Amino acid sequence: MLSVVADVGGTNIRLAVCNIETGELCKLREFSCAEFITLDAALVQYFSTLQGEVKHLCVGIACPVEDDRVVMTNLSWEFSKQALKEKLNLESLYVINDYTAISLAVPFVPQEDRIQIGGGESKTDGVTAVFGPGTGLGVSHIIKSEGKWISLDGEGGHVSFAPNTREQADILLLLQDQFGHVSAERILSGQGLVNIYHSLCRLEGKQPEFHEPKQVSQAALDNSCELALRSLTVFCQIMGGFAGNLALNLACTGGVYIAGGVVPRFIDFFKSSEFRRFFEEKGRFKDYLASIPTYLITHDNPGLLGASVYLRQELESIK
């Protein structure tokens, strides 16, 4: 009898078999979501590669999961939890937000898979914030209560973008013309980096050369385009301001962790960026924030790790 965990994003789906006793993950596979019309098609294909019957499944997915009907935000997939459980003949099915999973991974991420960017020591009894620019912008917080890790769900990626410089305000005005409401996700995501770059091009009266996030980041890193470099610089500034807001919201003395697929593409640039300065620049609370550590998660599969934590807690395997 097998237990499987899945991490479903807007672009890729990752899956693994979880050892319920130890938390060890094996049989890791990754597929492009575009290969499948539905989630259950991807799961059935993965299950067919395993030796044994899958009876427990935990899915971390990039969308709200309050009701039986799950509709993804940045992908056309939708499904009924109950129908999925019945179709796959499962004993238990848990569907959680992807950042619920990623946040639950934080206490279990090895030291070598996290990079500290400023601040002091994290407090083990403090609230911890986790966010990450990827296809979208995921946000969550975690606390420990009665020996169990609990994720405080939310949709913090869709709060209104708050500029902290004149340049950022100019970008906001252009994006308001385009989108109306401008969420943090419109800025802090793969497409958000493109939105920043296109906005800066408009402000300079120039035609954009790039239309994909990797194109912008690569042109910035090889210093071949001044506006791409400026875009990545502004991206890190805004990310710092957003992270500082998260830290203040719930007094996150446990630290603020950055996950997601975007930032690991430019780790060295990020480490030397103005991220930390914008994180701390909150007026009278600058000294308060200076003591709160920020980290970049470099673990390959925090979503799978966190989904395994959730599943094992539900099955009461983590002591």
Side-chain angles (χ1 to χ4, degrees):
M1 187 166 65
L2 301 176
S3 298
V4 167
V5 291
D7 176 24
V8 184
T11 304
N12 299 306
I13 175 172
R14 300 174 178 87
L15 304 110
V17 173
C18 172
N19 184 312
I20 292 299
E21 295 302 318
T22 66
E24 180 183 1
L25 300 175
C26 65
K27 307 290 185 182
L28 273 71
R29 290 289 302 275
E30 179 176 337
F31 302 106
S32 169
C33 293
E35 296 179 35
F36 304 94
I37 298 175
T38 61
L39 172 61
D40 57 274
L43 293 170
V44 167
Q45 177 164 319
Y46 177 70
F47 288 5
S48 70
T49 67
L50 304 177
Q51 298 296 318
E53 191 174 7
V54 178
K55 284 300 180 183
H56 304 289
L57 172 64
C58 181
V59 178
I61 192 165
C63 63
V65 292
E66 288 86 0
D67 304 315
D68 177 69
R69 196 75 191 168
V70 179
V71 181
M72 292 194 68
T73 306
N74 292 306
L75 191 66
S76 61
W77 288 358
E78 58 180 279
F79 60 94
S80 157
K81 297 176 191 175
Q82 185 60 37
L84 183 65
K85 182 180 179 181
E86 292 172 359
K87 180 171 185 176
L88 299 176
N89 193 30
L90 299 170
E91 288 185 11
S92 62
L93 169 65
Y94 303 97
V95 181
I96 60 177
N97 180 265
D98 60 334
Y99 265 80
T100 298
I102 289 174
S103 64
L104 289 172
V106 165
F108 300 89
V109 170
Q111 200 65 38
E112 61 268 23
D113 289 333
R114 62 180 75 185
I115 300 171
Q116 184 168 351
I117 312 291
E121 295 293 324
S122 61
K123 296 184 179 180
T124 56
D125 60 345
V127 178
T128 299
V130 188
F131 76 101
T135 304
L137 175 62
V139 179
S140 191
H141 295 79
I142 56 169
I143 58 173
K144 194 170 189 180
S145 177
E146 299 181 349
K148 183 177 181 178
W149 290 101
I150 299 172
S151 178
L152 308 178
D153 296 340
E155 289 295 331
H158 299 283
V159 300
S160 300
F161 164 53
N164 288 289
T165 67
R166 175 60 183 268
E167 182 176 51
Q168 293 175 20
D170 289 340
I171 292 171
L172 172 61
L173 291 174
L174 289 178
L175 293 179
Q176 283 177 331
D177 288 341
Q178 182 176 355
F179 298 112
H181 175 253
V182 179
S183 67
E185 184 175 275
R186 292 289 190 189
I187 300 284
L188 296 178
S189 60
Q191 185 57 44
L193 177 59
V194 176
N195 290 340
I196 293 172
Y197 167 70
H198 285 181
S199 296
L200 291 177
C201 287
R202 287 181 61 188
L203 290 170
E204 293 292 327
K206 296 182 178 180
Q207 193 69 24
E209 297 179 55
F210 313 117
H211 302 279
E212 298 295 332
K214 289 182 180 179
Q215 294 175 328
V216 178
S217 59
Q218 188 55 53
L221 296 176
D222 62 26
N223 205 25
S224 63
C225 174
E226 182 181 348
L227 284 177
L229 177 61
R230 187 64 197 157
S231 299
L232 200 58
T233 299
V234 171
F235 184 91
C236 291
Q237 292 175 351
I238 294 172
M239 189 162 50
F242 182 78
N245 289 345
L246 289 181
L248 289 174
N249 283 342
L250 287 178
C252 294
T253 56
V256 179
Y257 286 76
I258 303 163
V262 172
V263 184
R265 297 177 190 163
F266 49 87
I267 292 176
D268 290 338
F269 184 95
F270 172 71
K271 288 164 67 175
S272 61
S273 74
E274 294 181 287
F275 166 82
R276 186 68 200 190
R277 179 169 76 85
F278 277 76
F279 174 85
E280 295 180 8
E281 285 193 349
K282 300 293 185 185
R284 292 169 292 172
F285 274 76
K286 181 174 183 177
D287 290 343
Y288 175 82
L289 286 170
S291 66
I292 293 178
T294 48
Y295 302 89
L296 174 62
I297 296 174
T298 58
H299 189 281
D300 288 337
N301 290 296
L304 291 178
L305 176 60
S308 74
V309 171
Y310 188 95
L311 182 59
R312 294 176 66 217
Q313 285 191 154
E314 291 300 313
L315 300 178
E316 298 184 346
S317 298
I318 293 181
K319 305 300 181 184

